[in-house]
Amino acid sequence: MFDFLKPAAPAYQNLTPAEFSAALRQLGTVLLDVRRPDEFAGGHLPGAVNIDVTAPDFGSRVAALDNTHPTLVYCRSGARSATAASQLSKAGFGHVANLLGGVLDWPEKLVR
């Protein structure tokens, strides 16, 4: 009826852990852990880059990434990474995906 009254759909995809795992195997994919550095140090997905979404320099740090590559983001539960995915999409990143359930639902072993 009135499309402008509907909330805008996110410009990123939410992926299940199985879908996220498959997406990780694509060449050129950037894996972004948006948790705090202490959380990252406690265990993260292999190959992840840590940029804390709550840090004041988040925007400038992600601006240094190549926005033409698929970018996969995750956090502890999926909430902060959804915020980060939205910010990345608004910043011109074309292919962004968020891990539903975060590392809490991640079935594979984390690395330190």
Side-chain angles (χ1 to χ4, degrees):
M1 174 195 237
F2 295 104
D3 287 341
F4 65 89
L5 295 178
K6 293 181 184 175
Y12 61 89
Q13 290 182 289
N14 285 307
L15 301 179
T16 65
E19 293 167 333
F20 198 86
S21 181
L24 279 173
R25 293 191 283 276
Q26 294 178 25
L27 287 177
T29 299
V30 175
L31 179 58
L32 189 58
D33 183 320
V34 296
R35 299 176 298 160
R36 294 185 321 267
D38 62 308
E39 293 175 291
F40 182 82
H44 56 273
L45 276 63
V49 174
N50 182 221
I51 303 177
D52 181 356
V53 70
T54 63
D57 64 346
F58 178 77
S60 62
R61 290 188 64 196
V62 296
L65 300 175
D66 186 341
N67 67 2
T68 64
H69 289 281
T71 305
L72 304 177
V73 295
Y74 73 92
C75 65
R76 180 177 174 271
S77 67
R80 285 177 285 175
S81 55
T83 298
S86 178
Q87 290 180 24
L88 289 167
S89 294
K90 289 175 184 170
F93 284 72
H95 302 284
V96 180
N98 173 46
L99 174 59
L100 288 171
V103 293
L104 291 177
D105 288 348
W106 187 247
E108 300 172 30
K109 187 168 176 66
L110 300 177
V111 298
R112 293 177 189 250

